[in-house]
Amino acid sequence: MNARKANQLAAKGGEIEDQATERLPAEGLSADDSPRKAIQSVEIGVRVIRALMDCPKDGAHLREVAEKSGLSRSQAHRYLLAFVNTGVVEQNSQNGRYALGAFSVRIGMAALARVEPVRIAGDNLESLLVELQTTGLLSVWGDYGPTVIRWIDGGLPLLTSLHVGSVLPLQASSTGILFLTHCSRDWTRRVIEQERASGLVVSDDELERQIVQARELGYATTQGTVVPGLSALSVPVHDSENRLVATMSVLSRVQDQHFYLNPMIEKIRSAAIEASRAIGWQG
């Protein structure tokens, strides 16, 4: 058999496999259900994404994805390959595991930013940053700790590796200190243990000192602990139940000391208070 004929047969086999796959009932639907007309291959692809969402942080092997999504290994592999090619999924070249990729992070962050309390906080932060002509970020609690969901350039370009989707260190960032201040220790303990296991260790006494200070002042600051030469001042945004829903952070160069004068601090705190009250906070 020549190569051309073999390729034609392989393509035909793939087409047949696709058709068989697309006839699988969507998850949660029986064969007797009548869902709205849709592209079933997309629905099946979502099964693969869900399977990866339920996997550990370091990802899953092909057989695990196939089992969780209810597909054969060859079917799961073809979907994974398409997702890898588009950045939705990434594959670890060392161990072959698959995990959600950078584009999946962007999709999640974009969806989260549309949640009403987060949108309000983001709009207030953007107005503040334009007025101050500096850069800032909005963060929420994610699966792995404080996570940046909006990066807003208000006029001061900063060279940094931080971006939407970045996870900030709980023990060494002003954002992290606010989550330690306002969230349950049971909630944050796992992330602290992971950070310490990876080599980032801040003593319990020092963390407690910073927590007490943040509670008294209503904000937290760090200088160069996340990015050398970069300072941050972070303020909390609360909801109607007095829960921390996000943090607003204003960034500056360490030498820009005017960002730590009382008038500037009060302006930043006022923006967070205004956002909190718009959400329903009564404080």
Side-chain angles (χ1 to χ4, degrees):
M1 182 183 299
N2 61 36
R4 181 179 179 183
K5 185 66 174 178
N7 288 337
Q8 289 174 341
L9 288 175
K12 185 64 176 178
E15 182 181 341
I16 292 171
E17 184 179 37
D18 272 345
Q19 292 171 352
T21 301
E22 291 177 6
R23 284 196 293 270
L24 288 172
E27 186 178 83
L29 296 175
S30 70
D32 295 328
D33 287 328
S34 299
R36 289 177 297 177
K37 186 176 181 180
I39 301 175
Q40 289 187 317
S41 60
V42 174
E43 296 176 354
I44 297 166
V46 172
R47 294 189 192 180
V48 175
I49 299 299
R50 285 176 175 167
L52 289 172
M53 290 172 62
D54 293 337
C55 291
K57 183 179 179 180
D58 60 349
H61 291 296
L62 173 60
R63 59 177 174 76
E64 297 172 287
V65 177
E67 290 171 1
K68 288 180 177 290
S69 57
L71 301 174
S72 69
R73 293 192 188 185
S74 62
Q75 292 166 344
H77 181 261
R78 295 175 64 199
Y79 278 94
L80 287 168
L81 180 59
F83 285 139
V84 167
N85 290 341
T86 55
V88 175
V89 171
E90 60 186 24
Q91 184 180 24
N92 188 308
S93 60
Q94 302 298 318
N95 57 32
R97 288 177 178 267
Y98 295 92
L100 295 179
F103 190 61
S104 289
V105 174
R106 290 178 59 191
I107 292 172
M109 294 300 102
L112 188 56
R114 294 176 64 86
V115 176
E116 190 66 11
V118 178
R119 184 190 62 77
I120 291 172
D123 290 347
N124 278 49
L125 176 60
E126 186 169 11
S127 297
L128 172 68
L129 295 171
V130 170
E131 179 183 351
L132 300 182
Q133 295 187 336
T134 192
T135 294
L137 51 91
L138 187 73
S139 303
V140 299
W141 186 263
D143 288 342
Y144 307 119
T147 306
V148 178
I149 62 168
R150 283 196 68 183
W151 177 276
I152 303 170
D153 182 0
L156 177 64
L158 298 171
L159 296 177
T160 171
S161 59
L162 294 177
H163 53 79
V164 171
S166 290
V167 177
L168 300 170
L170 191 59
Q171 302 172 89
S173 66
S174 54
T175 292
I177 294 301
L178 289 183
F179 279 102
L180 287 173
T181 302
H182 296 283
C183 297
S184 164
R185 295 297 174 88
D186 292 336
W187 199 9
T188 58
R189 183 179 297 112
R190 174 182 59 85
V191 175
I192 290 180
E193 291 173 351
Q194 290 174 347
E195 288 183 352
R196 289 177 172 175
S198 65
L200 175 57
V201 179
V202 178
S203 70
D204 290 337
D205 288 344
E206 175 58 20
L207 286 179
E208 188 60 33
R209 184 193 69 78
Q210 294 187 58
I211 289 169
V212 170
Q213 185 178 59
R215 187 173 290 118
E216 291 176 349
L217 298 176
Y219 63 90
T221 62
T222 51
Q223 297 193 28
T225 55
V226 178
V227 178
L230 194 64
S231 297
L233 191 153
S234 298
V235 287
V237 178
H238 299 280
D239 66 8
S240 59
E241 302 297 324
N242 201 36
R243 295 171 300 196
L244 182 66
V245 294
T247 63
M248 298 164 53
S249 300
V250 175
L251 307 181
S252 67
R253 293 179 289 251
V254 170
Q255 62 266 32
D256 296 335
Q257 293 298 317
H258 67 282
F259 275 95
Y260 299 95
L261 299 177
N262 284 334
M264 183 68 74
I265 292 173
E266 288 308 308
K267 187 183 293 288
I268 297 170
R269 290 190 64 231
S270 294
I273 291 171
E274 181 180 343
S276 297
R277 288 179 176 162
I279 295 168
W281 183 60
Q282 300 298 314

